[in-house]
Amino acid sequence: MIKQMMLPLKNMFLLTVGMMLLVLYFVWASQGTEVARRFAHQENVFVCHISFEDSRGKQTTGLPKIYFVTPTYPRREQAAELTRLGQTLMHVPDIHWIVADDNQSCNAMVAKLLKKFGIPFTHISSPMPEVYRKANIVPRGVANRRAAINWIRKNAQHGVIYFGDDDNTFDLKLFEEIRDTKKVSMFPVGLIGDYAVSSPILKEGKVIGFFDSWPSKRKFPVDMAGFAVNVEFLLHPNATMPYKAGYEEDQFLRSLGLALEDIEPKADSCTQILVWHTQTSKKVSPTIRIGSELDTSLKDLLEEITALGMGHVSLSSGVKSYITKDGKTKPLKLFPY
């Protein structure tokens, strides 16, 4: 009789324990998902190097400093494009170059490159959160610009911020134009979309609209290279740049509380092009098969190519390499001959 009474109690106890374990599992699983979600969205920013030294021998003008923000990422063209841009910025006084690299660690090649220009600079490692790399349209450069904005918030009270990609082309006059920006200045950008240009439209000196081949219901249909922002205006508490591909400029300018009448047109009332959205044709970094150890100048040259991220060298795989002498070509591994 007692055994018959204990059986239902035992079953009820086991059922209760089972339900508790199930609840605990779901709680753990949900917390694990939340942790994973937070980790996927996490921005891991590292300030690699800061230099306020200006070794170019340029006199300080006393004008507002330009904080020139360049998002970049590892690829075989990276060193070439940073070199081209750096040699343009060498001519610009009172500038601080912020280079934010989409890299999990501080890239020694980028650091070495930045030091040789003599320009005051900040080198940041700011990889894109993993969750956004899986998006249908990847919001490239956003993590980099957000990291630069945060650095400026902490380290600057005055000046002008400008977003300049490493593959764009700049007229030096542009820097003279944007330096006196009070809130937000705007100007045309060449080689954009189906119109080959993106620009504000003016009437009687005031911005009345925009000329851009991809309006897409944007309040400010402009290119990232088509505006500059006063640092004091940037310190607006709601200012942010979203991870929304194609809408970064629009929503960033909206977050500043910008009104159409606030826009300061530059470039001769937006009739001149002082910046172009040039783009280098991208190719995959090659692996060069050399077949044997080298004892010529080519050894150091290929090491340089590797250091610059332009390619890689292998003894056993990759593109076959040849050497030419007197019009005759033979595999590199047979050299000398």
Side-chain angles (χ1 to χ4, degrees), residues 79-89 117 166-169 278 280:
E81 293 184 329
L82 286 174
T83 297
R84 180 177 56 198
L85 177 55
Q87 291 183 346
T88 295
L89 299 183
F117 299 118
D166 56 7
D167 59 352
N168 284 358
T169 302
T278 46
T280 303

Side-chain angles (χ1 to χ4, degrees), residues 311-326:
H312 309 279
V313 175
S314 172
L315 292 172
S316 58
S317 63
V319 180
K320 291 182 179 179
S321 57
Y322 300 87
I323 188 167
T324 301
K325 182 180 180 181
D326 296 331

Side-chain angles (χ1 to χ4, degrees), residues 89-301:
L89 299 183
M90 286 175 69
H91 299 283
V92 183
D94 293 319
I95 192 167
H96 190 97
W97 192 11
I98 303 175
V99 178
D101 194 12
D102 186 354
N103 204 317
Q104 294 292 339
S105 59
C106 297
N107 188 330
M109 180 276 290
V110 172
K112 181 180 178 181
L113 201 59
L114 295 178
K115 291 175 184 177
K116 80 175 189 178
F117 299 118
I119 305 168
F121 73 90
T122 296
H123 175 206
I124 300 175
S125 170
S126 50
M128 182 191 303
E130 287 301 318
V131 67
Y132 298 112
R133 295 187 189 277
K134 302 173 184 177
N136 292 331
I137 304 177
V138 178
R140 300 187 186 281
V142 175
N144 314 77
R145 298 185 188 99
R146 287 167 63 99
I149 290 170
N150 289 335
W151 186 90
I152 291 171
R153 284 180 179 276
K154 296 175 182 177
N155 295 276
Q157 288 77 44
H158 309 286
V160 176
I161 179 174
Y162 179 74
F163 300 107
D165 290 353
D166 56 7
D167 59 352
N168 284 358
T169 302
F170 305 92
D171 188 315
L172 291 177
K173 186 180 178 182
L174 175 70
F175 302 97
E176 300 173 17
E177 296 261 340
I178 66 174
R179 206 180 284 274
D180 64 354
T181 299
K182 302 296 186 295
K183 286 187 177 180
V184 176
S185 58
M186 289 191 182
F187 31 88
V189 180
L191 303 179
I192 293 287
D194 294 338
Y195 298 163
V197 69
S198 173
S199 175
I201 302 170
L202 274 62
K203 185 173 183 179
E204 298 177 354
K206 301 293 184 181
V207 175
I208 61 169
F210 299 89
F211 186 70
D212 188 281
S213 61
W214 189 69
S216 194
K217 297 183 179 180
R218 293 181 294 165
K219 182 178 180 180
F220 300 105
V222 296
D223 184 73
M224 193 67 73
F227 62 89
V229 180
N230 186 288
V231 168
E232 293 181 44
F233 196 56
L234 174 71
L235 299 180
H236 188 286
N238 297 321
T240 186
M241 185 170 290
Y243 285 99
K244 188 174 181 181
Y247 294 85
E248 298 95 329
E249 301 93 337
D250 178 51
Q251 294 193 15
F252 171 67
L253 293 170
R254 287 181 186 232
S255 74
L256 294 172
L258 183 69
L260 208 62
E261 55 269 22
D262 292 329
I263 298 173
E264 306 154 49
K266 301 292 184 181
D268 195 13
S269 297
C270 293
T271 61
Q272 297 179 350
I273 296 175
L274 302 177
V275 55
W276 291 263
H277 196 273
T278 46
Q279 293 178 300
T280 303
S281 176
K282 303 294 189 296
K283 291 187 177 181
V284 176
S285 299
T287 296
I288 306 166
R289 186 168 68 193
I290 59 173
S292 61
E293 295 290 344
L294 301 175
D295 59 358
T296 66
S297 62
L298 193 57
K299 178 179 183 293
D300 292 337
L301 177 60

